[in-house]
Amino acid sequence: MAAEVRPRLTVLSGPSGVGKSTVVAHMRKVHPEVWLSVSATTRKPRPGERHGVHYFFVGDDEFDKLIANGELLEWAEFAGNRYGTPRGAVLERLENGEPVLLEIDLQGARLVRQSMPEAQLVFLAPPSWDELVRRLTGRGTESAEVIERRLAAAKIELAAETEFDATLVNTSVEDVARELLALMDVV
Ligand code: ADP
Ligand code: 5GP
C-alpha cells in the first residue's frame, strides 16, 4: 500500500535581520506558486510594505478580536508588537494539498509544533553574530532601541536552533531559497 503523502506545512524562523523576507521574496520570484501565509500584525508598516501583501496591519482592538474569535492558528508578541497567522487560509490550502509556508518567530514555531506535529520547522541562521548585527542595522528600518530589543530576542532564538528539523545558513540568498524549496518538495 502506498504511503499517504501529506501536504506539508513548513515553518521558517530565525532572528530578525537574518534575511527571512529576502529569501522568501526571492523564492517566490522563482516559484510564484508557493503560497506564503500573510500574518496579521499590530506593527506599523515599513516604507514599501503593503496591507494584505506583506502583512494585514491591524490595530490592538482588531487583533484582540482575531484572538477572541479563534481566527489565529498561533500568535505571539515579538519586540513590542503582536503577530499572528490567520487560521482559515492556511487550513484551506493544506486541505487542497498545496504546500504552505509560514514565516514566524520562535514562539510561533513552537506553538505550531504543538498543534501540528507534522509541520517541518526550518531555522534560518546568520553566517555570524556580527553579520546579523550588520544586516539588522544596515536595513535601516528600526530605531536603536528596537534594534536592541530584536538583538536580545535573537540571542534566545539562536539558542533554540536545535529544536528545528533543519538549519539553513543564509550566506547566499539564491542558495538558501533553493534549499528551502527542496525541503518543501517543490523542486
Ligand atoms: P528578516 O526578514 O529576517 O528580518 P530581511 O530579509 O529584512 O530579514 O533582511 C535584513 C537585511 O539583510 C536586508 O537589508 C537584506 O537586504 C539583507 N540580507 C538578506 N540576506 C542577505 C544575504 N544573504 N547577504 C547579505 N545581506 C542579506
Ligand atoms: P518583522 O517586524 O521584522 O516583520 O517581524 C518580526 C518577527 O515576527 C519575525 O521573527 C517574524 O518572523 C515574526 N512574525 C511574522 N509574522 C508572524 C506570525 O504570524 N506569528 C508569529 N509568531 N511571528 C510572526
Side-chain angles (χ1 to χ4, degrees), residues 126-146:
S128 67
W129 175 259
D130 288 352
E131 177 61 14
L132 178 68
V133 176
R134 245 191 314 274
R135 286 184 192 173
L136 186 56
T137 312
R139 188 168 67 189
T141 50
E142 275 86 26
S143 65
E145 188 212 328
V146 173

Side-chain angles (χ1 to χ4, degrees), residues 14-23 46 103 124 131 135-136 138-139 150 170-173:
S16 181
V18 70
K20 299 180 296 297
S21 306
T22 307
V23 166
R46 294 181 186 133
E103 193 242 278
L124 192 62
E131 177 61 14
R135 286 184 192 173
L136 186 56
R139 188 168 67 189
R150 286 174 178 247
N170 183 15
T171 304
S172 147
V173 171

